[in-house]
Amino acid sequence: MQLYSVSQLLKQENKLPEVEVKGWVRTFRANRFIALNDGSTLNNIQCVVDFESTDEALLKRITTGAALHIKGELVESQGKGQNVEILVSAIEVLGDSDPEEYPIQPKKHSFEFLRENAHLRTRTNTFSAVMRLRSTLSYAIHKYFNDNGFYYMHTPIITGSDAEGAGEMFKVTKLDAKNPPLDDNGNVDYSKDFFGKETNLTVSGQLEAETYAMSLGKVYTFGPTFRAENSNTSRHLSEFWMIEPEVAFMDLPGNMDLAEDFLKYVLNYILENNRDDLDFLEQRLINEEKTKPQAERSNMSLIEKLKFVIDNNFKRVSYTEAIDILRNSKPNKKKKFKFPISDWGADLQSEHERFLVEKHFKCPVILFDYPANIKAFYMRLNEDGKTVRAMDILFPGIGEMVGGSQREERLEVLKEKMAALDIPEEELWWYLDLRKYGTAVHSGFGLGFERLVMFVTGMTNIRDVIPYPRTPQNAEF
Ligand code: 4AD
Ligand code: MG
């Protein structure tokens, strides 16, 4: 006998006299029909039990959630809903599951409830589909960069520098919190700490990726990043995964082209390689939409949204143009924005980004050339002396998906910028070295992986697209 996955069995064209499969019971109907799932596909294999010849005590142990080893014959199905089924010849219960206590009952559970049971939520169709799509997306990302001559670089997780300069980092320390060593001024003396200096979890691998771009040419990172910002929103995590390509000799328009081509490629890969899960999630959303008032319903299905992004050019708009549009917009004039737009220089809030993407342009938008003082220190200053070559890519329903820029490659300009922001040169001496020895135009961006997974799956809370979300006040599992 041969062990098959459910996915393999469902693809069989011919009868097979002897098959084996292992999985978990989703449902057991009429003491006869077991729907068995092993995670290899959204679909279950139906296993038909001959209850007359099966021991009653054994039948009682076939409960939702139990792990089974089944042997039997794969035949064309007599019933509707599946092409093949197994006529069971032997069942072994590998692991019992108490039907009274098992949290994942065969009924609809709220996402909040499933978040509290995140260790079991991938036993549901929705979460198994989301996590399979997450896995495929991650593969597609590596494939894109590999096929396009990029090297995968592992940037450090523990770092002594603050790439984004926002100061929202998690400290990494071995010092005794109750009794840390102090210096002469009464400050904590980090020279006595494990690394002999102050260290944190990284917020971005960009600065290190720049060093490799300036030797290997085209590199990317794909790793966890950490932010200690206290934003409890449906789009923020304290630990999230970021993809960061960095390319030597590439300018900002080249960076936009790369980001757009990359996003279209991975979305298309998903459409071509994970259709079952996508179709399921699309249907889930259609059903959910039906419960909403007409005015709030989306005019595109999930798959239509993906195709729309693949088939249409992203709209490229400068910050200055965007401010004009926002200033003259209805919600601004009617004082509907929580943060009204009056002057050039204002930072854009998510309500503004959503207006631009969802109401005004109705497609993904690349905003570029932002005011220097609302962006990070490393961005290339434009000739106007007040804007930088930054770009943010905004997606409908998500807001900011990508943040990137052309980097400041001129040593003196970079030093001035760092001085103005009180960033000590000693901390980033190696970063400055890149501008001393063979400096060149270079660019890159960061894509928030979970935001991409949200867009692809149609899930509306970022906590539902990562296995174990870390958010303020929450690090269970
Ligand atoms: O815009 P950010 O902060 O850019 C950087 O970190 C640059 N160093 C990237 C680069 O140029 N190499 O973050 C990049 C993206 C955002 O556009 C967003 O999609 C995501 O990371 N992101 C988050 N995702 C989930 N939770 C959070 N708290 C996030 N913060 C940023
Ligand atoms: Mg950003």
Side-chain angles (χ1 to χ4, degrees), residues 224-279:
T225 48
F226 308 86
R227 300 206 180 174
E229 54 195 331
N230 203 358
S231 13
N232 234 326
T233 79
S234 57
R235 298 178 308 123
H236 287 88
L237 289 166
S238 313
E239 176 180 278
F240 65 98
W241 288 67
M242 188 157 41
I243 295 103
E244 297 183 273
E246 191 70 33
V247 182
F249 314 115
M250 186 174 77
D251 61 7
L252 190 65
N255 205 17
M256 294 183 195
D257 292 344
L258 174 67
E260 188 168 341
D261 187 57
F262 162 66
L263 279 163
K264 288 179 172 174
Y265 174 88
V266 295
L267 296 182
N268 196 48
Y269 191 92
I270 284 292
L271 280 177
E272 286 179 357
N273 292 281
N274 224 337
R275 209 41 196 262
D276 281 357
D277 289 321
L278 214 50
D279 285 341

CSV table of all heavy atoms in Angstrom, one decimal, residues 224-279:
chain,number,residue,atom,x,y,z
A,224,PRO,N,12.2,39.0,9.0
A,224,PRO,CA,11.4,39.7,10.0
A,224,PRO,C,11.9,41.0,10.4
A,224,PRO,O,13.1,41.2,10.5
A,224,PRO,CB,11.4,38.7,11.2
A,224,PRO,CG,12.7,38.0,11.1
A,224,PRO,CD,13.0,38.0,9.6
A,225,THR,N,11.0,42.0,10.7
A,225,THR,CA,11.4,43.3,11.2
A,225,THR,C,10.5,43.6,12.3
A,225,THR,O,9.4,43.1,12.4
A,225,THR,CB,11.3,44.4,10.1
A,225,THR,OG1,10.0,44.2,9.4
A,225,THR,CG2,12.4,44.2,9.0
A,226,PHE,N,10.9,44.5,13.2
A,226,PHE,CA,10.3,44.8,14.5
A,226,PHE,C,10.0,46.2,14.7
A,226,PHE,O,11.0,47.0,14.5
A,226,PHE,CB,11.1,44.2,15.6
A,226,PHE,CG,11.5,42.8,15.3
A,226,PHE,CD1,12.6,42.4,14.6
A,226,PHE,CD2,10.8,41.7,15.8
A,226,PHE,CE1,13.0,41.1,14.3
A,226,PHE,CE2,11.1,40.4,15.6
A,226,PHE,CZ,12.2,40.1,14.8
A,227,ARG,N,8.9,46.6,15.1
A,227,ARG,CA,8.6,48.0,15.4
A,227,ARG,C,7.8,48.2,16.7
A,227,ARG,O,6.7,47.5,16.8
A,227,ARG,CB,7.9,48.7,14.2
A,227,ARG,CG,8.7,48.6,13.0
A,227,ARG,CD,8.5,49.6,11.9
A,227,ARG,NE,9.4,49.3,10.8
A,227,ARG,CZ,9.4,50.0,9.7
A,227,ARG,NH1,8.5,50.9,9.5
A,227,ARG,NH2,10.2,49.7,8.7
A,228,ALA,N,8.3,49.0,17.6
A,228,ALA,CA,7.7,49.1,18.9
A,228,ALA,C,6.7,50.3,18.9
A,228,ALA,O,6.5,50.9,19.9
A,228,ALA,CB,8.8,49.3,19.9
A,229,GLU,N,6.2,50.6,17.7
A,229,GLU,CA,5.2,51.7,17.7
A,229,GLU,C,3.9,51.2,18.3
A,229,GLU,O,3.5,50.1,18.1
A,229,GLU,CB,5.0,52.2,16.3
A,229,GLU,CG,4.6,51.2,15.3
A,229,GLU,CD,4.7,51.6,13.9
A,229,GLU,OE1,4.6,52.8,13.6
A,229,GLU,OE2,5.0,50.7,13.0
A,230,ASN,N,3.2,52.1,19.1
A,230,ASN,CA,2.0,51.6,19.8
A,230,ASN,C,0.8,51.9,18.9
A,230,ASN,O,-0.1,52.6,19.2
A,230,ASN,CB,1.9,52.4,21.1
A,230,ASN,CG,1.0,51.6,22.1
A,230,ASN,OD1,0.5,50.5,21.7
A,230,ASN,ND2,0.8,52.1,23.2
A,231,SER,N,0.8,51.3,17.6
A,231,SER,CA,-0.3,51.5,16.8
A,231,SER,C,-1.1,50.2,16.7
A,231,SER,O,-0.7,49.2,16.1
A,231,SER,CB,0.1,51.9,15.4
A,231,SER,OG,1.4,51.8,15.2
A,232,ASN,N,-2.3,50.2,17.4
A,232,ASN,CA,-3.1,49.1,17.4
A,232,ASN,C,-4.2,49.2,16.3
A,232,ASN,O,-5.3,49.4,16.5
A,232,ASN,CB,-3.9,49.0,18.7
A,232,ASN,CG,-3.7,47.7,19.4
A,232,ASN,OD1,-3.6,46.7,18.7
A,232,ASN,ND2,-3.6,47.7,20.7
A,233,THR,N,-3.7,49.0,15.0
A,233,THR,CA,-4.6,49.1,13.9
A,233,THR,C,-4.7,47.8,13.2
A,233,THR,O,-4.0,46.8,13.5
A,233,THR,CB,-4.2,50.2,12.9
A,233,THR,OG1,-3.1,49.5,12.1
A,233,THR,CG2,-3.6,51.4,13.5
A,234,SER,N,-5.6,47.7,12.2
A,234,SER,CA,-5.8,46.4,11.5
A,234,SER,C,-4.7,46.3,10.4
A,234,SER,O,-4.7,45.3,9.7
A,234,SER,CB,-7.1,46.4,10.8
A,234,SER,OG,-7.3,47.5,10.0
A,235,ARG,N,-3.7,47.2,10.4
A,235,ARG,CA,-2.7,47.1,9.3
A,235,ARG,C,-1.3,47.2,9.9
A,235,ARG,O,-0.3,47.2,9.2
A,235,ARG,CB,-2.8,48.3,8.3
A,235,ARG,CG,-4.2,48.2,7.5
A,235,ARG,CD,-4.3,49.4,6.6
A,235,ARG,NE,-4.1,50.6,7.3
A,235,ARG,CZ,-3.2,51.5,7.0
A,235,ARG,NH1,-2.4,51.3,5.9
A,235,ARG,NH2,-3.1,52.6,7.7
A,236,HIS,N,-1.2,47.2,11.3
A,236,HIS,CA,0.2,47.2,11.9
A,236,HIS,C,0.4,46.0,12.8
A,236,HIS,O,-0.4,45.6,13.5
A,236,HIS,CB,0.3,48.5,12.8
A,236,HIS,CG,0.4,49.8,12.0
A,236,HIS,ND1,-0.7,50.5,11.6
A,236,HIS,CD2,1.5,50.4,11.5
A,236,HIS,CE1,-0.3,51.5,10.9
A,236,HIS,NE2,1.1,51.5,10.8
A,237,LEU,N,1.7,45.5,12.6
A,237,LEU,CA,2.1,44.5,13.5
A,237,LEU,C,3.4,44.9,14.2
A,237,LEU,O,4.1,45.8,13.6
A,237,LEU,CB,2.5,43.2,12.7
A,237,LEU,CG,1.3,42.4,12.1
A,237,LEU,CD1,1.8,41.4,11.1
A,237,LEU,CD2,0.5,41.7,13.2
A,238,SER,N,3.7,44.4,15.3
A,238,SER,CA,5.0,44.8,16.0
A,238,SER,C,6.1,43.9,15.4
A,238,SER,O,7.3,44.3,15.5
A,238,SER,CB,4.9,44.5,17.5
A,238,SER,OG,3.7,45.0,18.0
A,239,GLU,N,5.8,42.8,14.9
A,239,GLU,CA,6.7,41.9,14.1
A,239,GLU,C,6.1,41.6,12.8
A,239,GLU,O,5.0,41.0,12.7
A,239,GLU,CB,6.9,40.6,14.9
A,239,GLU,CG,7.9,39.6,14.3
A,239,GLU,CD,8.0,38.3,15.1
A,239,GLU,OE1,8.8,38.3,16.0
A,239,GLU,OE2,7.3,37.4,14.8
A,240,PHE,N,6.8,42.0,11.7
A,240,PHE,CA,6.2,41.7,10.4
A,240,PHE,C,7.4,41.4,9.5
A,240,PHE,O,8.6,41.6,9.8
A,240,PHE,CB,5.4,42.9,9.8
A,240,PHE,CG,6.2,44.2,9.6
A,240,PHE,CD1,6.6,44.5,8.3
A,240,PHE,CD2,6.4,45.0,10.6
A,240,PHE,CE1,7.4,45.7,8.1
A,240,PHE,CE2,7.2,46.2,10.4
A,240,PHE,CZ,7.6,46.5,9.1
A,241,TRP,N,7.1,40.8,8.3
A,241,TRP,CA,8.1,40.4,7.4
A,241,TRP,C,8.2,41.4,6.2
A,241,TRP,O,7.2,41.9,5.8
A,241,TRP,CB,7.8,39.0,6.9
A,241,TRP,CG,8.0,38.0,7.9
A,241,TRP,CD1,7.3,37.8,9.1
A,241,TRP,CD2,9.1,37.0,8.0
A,241,TRP,NE1,7.9,36.8,9.8
A,241,TRP,CE2,8.9,36.3,9.2
A,241,TRP,CE3,10.1,36.6,7.1
A,241,TRP,CZ2,9.8,35.2,9.5
A,241,TRP,CZ3,10.9,35.6,7.4
A,241,TRP,CH2,10.8,34.9,8.7
A,242,MET,N,9.4,41.8,5.9
A,242,MET,CA,9.6,42.8,4.9
A,242,MET,C,10.5,42.2,3.8
A,242,MET,O,11.5,41.6,4.0
A,242,MET,CB,10.1,44.1,5.5
A,242,MET,CG,10.2,45.2,4.5
A,242,MET,SD,10.1,46.9,5.1
A,242,MET,CE,11.2,46.9,6.5
A,243,ILE,N,10.2,42.6,2.5
A,243,ILE,CA,11.0,42.3,1.4
A,243,ILE,C,11.6,43.6,0.9
A,243,ILE,O,10.9,44.6,0.7
A,243,ILE,CB,10.1,41.7,0.2
A,243,ILE,CG1,9.4,40.4,0.6
A,243,ILE,CG2,10.9,41.6,-1.1
A,243,ILE,CD1,8.0,40.5,0.9
A,244,GLU,N,13.0,43.6,0.9
A,244,GLU,CA,13.7,44.8,0.5
A,244,GLU,C,14.7,44.6,-0.6
A,244,GLU,O,15.8,44.1,-0.3
A,244,GLU,CB,14.4,45.4,1.8
A,244,GLU,CG,13.4,45.8,2.9
A,244,GLU,CD,14.1,46.4,4.1
A,244,GLU,OE1,14.5,45.7,4.9
A,244,GLU,OE2,14.2,47.6,4.1
A,245,PRO,N,14.4,44.9,-1.8
A,245,PRO,CA,15.4,44.8,-2.9
A,245,PRO,C,16.2,46.1,-2.8
A,245,PRO,O,15.7,47.2,-2.4
A,245,PRO,CB,14.6,44.7,-4.2
A,245,PRO,CG,13.3,45.3,-3.8
A,245,PRO,CD,13.0,45.1,-2.4
A,246,GLU,N,17.5,46.0,-3.3
A,246,GLU,CA,18.3,47.2,-3.3
A,246,GLU,C,19.2,47.0,-4.5
A,246,GLU,O,19.8,46.0,-4.7
A,246,GLU,CB,19.2,47.3,-2.0
A,246,GLU,CG,19.9,48.6,-1.9
A,246,GLU,CD,19.0,49.8,-1.5
A,246,GLU,OE1,18.0,49.6,-0.9
A,246,GLU,OE2,19.4,50.9,-2.0
A,247,VAL,N,19.3,48.1,-5.4
A,247,VAL,CA,19.9,47.9,-6.7
A,247,VAL,C,20.9,49.1,-7.0
A,247,VAL,O,20.5,50.2,-6.9
A,247,VAL,CB,18.9,47.8,-7.8
A,247,VAL,CG1,19.6,47.6,-9.2
A,247,VAL,CG2,17.9,46.7,-7.6
A,248,ALA,N,22.1,48.7,-7.3
A,248,ALA,CA,23.1,49.7,-7.7
A,248,ALA,C,22.8,50.3,-9.1
A,248,ALA,O,22.3,49.6,-9.9
A,248,ALA,CB,24.5,49.1,-7.7
A,249,PHE,N,23.1,51.5,-9.3
A,249,PHE,CA,23.0,52.2,-10.6
A,249,PHE,C,21.5,52.4,-11.0
A,249,PHE,O,21.2,52.6,-12.2
A,249,PHE,CB,23.8,51.5,-11.7
A,249,PHE,CG,25.2,51.2,-11.3
A,249,PHE,CD1,25.6,49.9,-11.2
A,249,PHE,CD2,26.1,52.2,-10.9
A,249,PHE,CE1,26.9,49.5,-10.7
A,249,PHE,CE2,27.4,51.9,-10.5
A,249,PHE,CZ,27.8,50.6,-10.4
A,250,MET,N,20.6,52.2,-10.1
A,250,MET,CA,19.1,52.4,-10.4
A,250,MET,C,18.6,53.7,-9.8
A,250,MET,O,18.8,53.9,-8.6
A,250,MET,CB,18.4,51.1,-9.9
A,250,MET,CG,16.9,51.1,-10.3
A,250,MET,SD,16.1,49.6,-9.8
A,250,MET,CE,15.8,49.9,-8.1
A,251,ASP,N,17.9,54.4,-10.6
A,251,ASP,CA,17.3,55.7,-10.1
A,251,ASP,C,15.8,55.5,-9.7
A,251,ASP,O,15.3,54.4,-9.7
A,251,ASP,CB,17.4,56.8,-11.1
A,251,ASP,CG,16.7,56.5,-12.4
A,251,ASP,OD1,16.0,55.4,-12.4
A,251,ASP,OD2,16.9,57.2,-13.4
A,252,LEU,N,15.2,56.6,-9.3
A,252,LEU,CA,13.8,56.4,-8.7
A,252,LEU,C,12.8,55.9,-9.8
A,252,LEU,O,12.1,55.0,-9.4
A,252,LEU,CB,13.3,57.7,-8.1
A,252,LEU,CG,12.0,57.6,-7.4
A,252,LEU,CD1,12.1,56.7,-6.1
A,252,LEU,CD2,11.4,58.9,-7.0
A,253,PRO,N,12.8,56.4,-11.0
A,253,PRO,CA,11.9,55.8,-12.0
A,253,PRO,C,12.2,54.3,-12.2
A,253,PRO,O,11.2,53.5,-12.3
A,253,PRO,CB,12.2,56.6,-13.3
A,253,PRO,CG,12.7,57.9,-12.8
A,253,PRO,CD,13.5,57.6,-11.6
A,254,GLY,N,13.4,53.9,-12.2
A,254,GLY,CA,13.8,52.5,-12.3
A,254,GLY,C,13.2,51.7,-11.1
A,254,GLY,O,12.7,50.6,-11.2
A,255,ASN,N,13.3,52.3,-9.9
A,255,ASN,CA,12.7,51.7,-8.7
A,255,ASN,C,11.2,51.5,-8.8
A,255,ASN,O,10.7,50.4,-8.4
A,255,ASN,CB,13.1,52.7,-7.5
A,255,ASN,CG,13.2,52.0,-6.2
A,255,ASN,OD1,13.3,50.8,-6.1
A,255,ASN,ND2,13.1,52.8,-5.1
A,256,MET,N,10.5,52.5,-9.4
A,256,MET,CA,9.1,52.3,-9.6
A,256,MET,C,8.8,51.2,-10.5
A,256,MET,O,7.9,50.4,-10.3
A,256,MET,CB,8.5,53.6,-10.1
A,256,MET,CG,8.6,54.8,-9.2
A,256,MET,SD,7.8,56.2,-10.0
A,256,MET,CE,8.4,57.6,-9.0
A,257,ASP,N,9.6,51.1,-11.6
A,257,ASP,CA,9.3,50.1,-12.6
A,257,ASP,C,9.5,48.7,-12.0
A,257,ASP,O,8.7,47.8,-12.2
A,257,ASP,CB,10.3,50.2,-13.8
A,257,ASP,CG,10.1,51.4,-14.6
A,257,ASP,OD1,9.0,52.0,-14.5
A,257,ASP,OD2,11.0,51.8,-15.4
A,258,LEU,N,10.6,48.6,-11.2
A,258,LEU,CA,10.9,47.3,-10.5
A,258,LEU,C,9.7,46.9,-9.6
A,258,LEU,O,9.2,45.8,-9.7
A,258,LEU,CB,12.2,47.4,-9.7
A,258,LEU,CG,12.5,46.2,-8.9
A,258,LEU,CD1,12.8,45.0,-9.7
A,258,LEU,CD2,13.7,46.5,-7.9
A,259,ALA,N,9.3,47.8,-8.8
A,259,ALA,CA,8.2,47.5,-7.8
A,259,ALA,C,6.9,47.1,-8.5
A,259,ALA,O,6.3,46.2,-8.1
A,259,ALA,CB,8.0,48.7,-6.9
A,260,GLU,N,6.6,47.8,-9.6
A,260,GLU,CA,5.4,47.5,-10.3
A,260,GLU,C,5.5,46.2,-11.0
A,260,GLU,O,4.5,45.3,-10.9
A,260,GLU,CB,5.1,48.7,-11.3
A,260,GLU,CG,3.7,48.5,-11.9
A,260,GLU,CD,3.3,49.8,-12.7
A,260,GLU,OE1,3.8,50.9,-12.5
A,260,GLU,OE2,2.4,49.6,-13.6
A,261,ASP,N,6.6,45.9,-11.6
A,261,ASP,CA,6.8,44.6,-12.3
A,261,ASP,C,6.7,43.5,-11.3
A,261,ASP,O,6.1,42.5,-11.6
A,261,ASP,CB,8.1,44.7,-13.1
A,261,ASP,CG,8.3,43.5,-13.9
A,261,ASP,OD1,7.5,43.3,-14.8
A,261,ASP,OD2,9.3,42.7,-13.8
A,262,PHE,N,7.4,43.7,-10.2
A,262,PHE,CA,7.5,42.7,-9.2
A,262,PHE,C,6.1,42.3,-8.6
A,262,PHE,O,5.7,41.2,-8.5
A,262,PHE,CB,8.4,43.2,-8.1
A,262,PHE,CG,8.3,42.5,-6.7
A,262,PHE,CD1,8.7,41.2,-6.6
A,262,PHE,CD2,7.9,43.2,-5.6
A,262,PHE,CE1,8.6,40.6,-5.4
A,262,PHE,CE2,7.8,42.6,-4.4
A,262,PHE,CZ,8.1,41.3,-4.3
A,263,LEU,N,5.3,43.4,-8.3
A,263,LEU,CA,4.0,43.2,-7.7
A,263,LEU,C,3.1,42.4,-8.7
A,263,LEU,O,2.4,41.5,-8.3
A,263,LEU,CB,3.4,44.5,-7.3
A,263,LEU,CG,3.9,45.0,-5.9
A,263,LEU,CD1,3.6,46.5,-5.7
A,263,LEU,CD2,3.2,44.2,-4.8
A,264,LYS,N,3.2,42.9,-10.0
A,264,LYS,CA,2.3,42.2,-11.0
A,264,LYS,C,2.7,40.7,-11.2
A,264,LYS,O,1.8,39.9,-11.3
A,264,LYS,CB,2.4,43.0,-12.3
A,264,LYS,CG,1.7,44.3,-12.2
A,264,LYS,CD,1.8,45.1,-13.5
A,264,LYS,CE,0.9,46.3,-13.4
A,264,LYS,NZ,1.0,47.2,-14.5
A,265,TYR,N,4.0,40.5,-11.1
A,265,TYR,CA,4.5,39.1,-11.3
A,265,TYR,C,3.9,38.2,-10.1
A,265,TYR,O,3.4,37.1,-10.4
A,265,TYR,CB,6.0,39.0,-11.3
A,265,TYR,CG,6.5,37.6,-11.3
A,265,TYR,CD1,6.7,36.9,-12.5
A,265,TYR,CD2,6.8,37.0,-10.1
A,265,TYR,CE1,7.2,35.6,-12.4
A,265,TYR,CE2,7.2,35.6,-10.0
A,265,TYR,CZ,7.4,35.0,-11.2
A,265,TYR,OH,7.9,33.7,-11.2
A,266,VAL,N,4.1,38.7,-8.9
A,266,VAL,CA,3.6,37.8,-7.8
A,266,VAL,C,2.1,37.6,-7.8
A,266,VAL,O,1.6,36.5,-7.5
A,266,VAL,CB,4.2,38.2,-6.4
A,266,VAL,CG1,5.7,38.1,-6.4
A,266,VAL,CG2,3.7,39.5,-6.0
A,267,LEU,N,1.4,38.6,-8.1
A,267,LEU,CA,-0.1,38.5,-8.2
A,267,LEU,C,-0.5,37.5,-9.3
A,267,LEU,O,-1.3,36.6,-9.1
A,267,LEU,CB,-0.8,39.8,-8.4
A,267,LEU,CG,-0.6,40.9,-7.3
A,267,LEU,CD1,-1.3,42.1,-7.6
A,267,LEU,CD2,-1.0,40.3,-5.9
A,268,ASN,N,0.2,37.6,-10.4
A,268,ASN,CA,-0.1,36.7,-11.5
A,268,ASN,C,0.3,35.2,-11.1
A,268,ASN,O,-0.4,34.3,-11.4
A,268,ASN,CB,0.7,37.1,-12.7
A,268,ASN,CG,0.1,36.5,-14.0
A,268,ASN,OD1,-1.1,36.5,-14.2
A,268,ASN,ND2,1.0,35.9,-14.8
A,269,TYR,N,1.4,35.1,-10.4
A,269,TYR,CA,1.8,33.8,-10.0
A,269,TYR,C,0.7,33.1,-9.1
A,269,TYR,O,0.5,31.9,-9.3
A,269,TYR,CB,3.1,33.9,-9.2
A,269,TYR,CG,3.8,32.5,-9.0
A,269,TYR,CD1,4.7,32.0,-9.9
A,269,TYR,CD2,3.4,31.7,-7.9
A,269,TYR,CE1,5.2,30.7,-9.7
A,269,TYR,CE2,3.9,30.5,-7.7
A,269,TYR,CZ,4.9,30.0,-8.6
A,269,TYR,OH,5.4,28.7,-8.4
A,270,ILE,N,0.2,33.9,-8.2
A,270,ILE,CA,-0.9,33.3,-7.4
A,270,ILE,C,-2.1,32.9,-8.2
A,270,ILE,O,-2.7,31.9,-7.9
A,270,ILE,CB,-1.3,34.4,-6.3
A,270,ILE,CG1,-0.2,34.5,-5.3
A,270,ILE,CG2,-2.6,34.2,-5.7
A,270,ILE,CD1,-0.1,33.3,-4.4
A,271,LEU,N,-2.5,33.8,-9.1
A,271,LEU,CA,-3.7,33.4,-10.0
A,271,LEU,C,-3.4,32.1,-10.7
A,271,LEU,O,-4.3,31.3,-10.9
A,271,LEU,CB,-3.9,34.5,-11.0
A,271,LEU,CG,-4.6,35.8,-10.5
A,271,LEU,CD1,-4.7,36.8,-11.6
A,271,LEU,CD2,-6.0,35.4,-10.0
A,272,GLU,N,-2.2,31.9,-11.1
A,272,GLU,CA,-1.9,30.7,-11.9
A,272,GLU,C,-1.6,29.5,-11.1
A,272,GLU,O,-1.8,28.4,-11.6
A,272,GLU,CB,-0.7,31.0,-12.9
A,272,GLU,CG,-1.2,31.9,-14.0
A,272,GLU,CD,0.0,32.2,-15.0
A,272,GLU,OE1,1.1,31.8,-14.7
A,272,GLU,OE2,-0.3,32.9,-16.0
A,273,ASN,N,-1.2,29.7,-9.9
A,273,ASN,CA,-0.7,28.5,-9.1
A,273,ASN,C,-1.5,28.2,-7.8
A,273,ASN,O,-1.2,27.2,-7.2
A,273,ASN,CB,0.7,28.7,-8.8
A,273,ASN,CG,1.6,28.6,-10.0
A,273,ASN,OD1,1.9,27.5,-10.5
A,273,ASN,ND2,2.0,29.7,-10.5
A,274,ASN,N,-2.5,29.0,-7.5
A,274,ASN,CA,-3.2,28.7,-6.2
A,274,ASN,C,-4.7,29.0,-6.3
A,274,ASN,O,-5.3,29.7,-5.5
A,274,ASN,CB,-2.6,29.5,-5.1
A,274,ASN,CG,-2.4,28.6,-3.8
A,274,ASN,OD1,-3.1,27.6,-3.7
A,274,ASN,ND2,-1.5,29.0,-3.0
A,275,ARG,N,-5.2,28.5,-7.4
A,275,ARG,CA,-6.6,28.9,-7.8
A,275,ARG,C,-7.7,28.4,-6.8
A,275,ARG,O,-8.6,29.1,-6.5
A,275,ARG,CB,-6.9,28.5,-9.2
A,275,ARG,CG,-7.9,29.4,-9.9
A,275,ARG,CD,-7.6,30.8,-9.7
A,275,ARG,NE,-8.8,31.6,-10.1
A,275,ARG,CZ,-8.9,32.2,-11.3
A,275,ARG,NH1,-7.9,32.2,-12.1
A,275,ARG,NH2,-10.0,32.8,-11.6
A,276,ASP,N,-7.5,27.2,-6.3
A,276,ASP,CA,-8.5,26.6,-5.4
A,276,ASP,C,-8.7,27.5,-4.2
A,276,ASP,O,-9.8,27.8,-3.8
A,276,ASP,CB,-8.1,25.2,-4.9
A,276,ASP,CG,-8.4,24.2,-6.0
A,276,ASP,OD1,-8.9,24.5,-7.0
A,276,ASP,OD2,-8.0,23.0,-5.7
A,277,ASP,N,-7.6,27.8,-3.6
A,277,ASP,CA,-7.7,28.6,-2.3
A,277,ASP,C,-8.2,30.0,-2.6
A,277,ASP,O,-9.0,30.6,-1.9
A,277,ASP,CB,-6.3,28.7,-1.7
A,277,ASP,CG,-5.8,27.4,-1.1
A,277,ASP,OD1,-6.7,26.7,-0.5
A,277,ASP,OD2,-4.6,27.1,-1.2
A,278,LEU,N,-7.8,30.6,-3.7
A,278,LEU,CA,-8.3,31.9,-4.1
A,278,LEU,C,-9.8,31.9,-4.4
A,278,LEU,O,-10.5,32.8,-4.0
A,278,LEU,CB,-7.5,32.4,-5.4
A,278,LEU,CG,-7.2,33.8,-5.5
A,278,LEU,CD1,-6.5,34.4,-4.3
A,278,LEU,CD2,-6.2,34.0,-6.7
A,279,ASP,N,-10.2,30.9,-5.1
A,279,ASP,CA,-11.7,30.8,-5.4
A,279,ASP,C,-12.5,30.7,-4.1
A,279,ASP,O,-13.5,31.3,-4.0
A,279,ASP,CB,-11.9,29.6,-6.3
A,279,ASP,CG,-11.5,29.8,-7.8
A,279,ASP,OD1,-11.3,31.0,-8.2
A,279,ASP,OD2,-11.3,28.8,-8.5
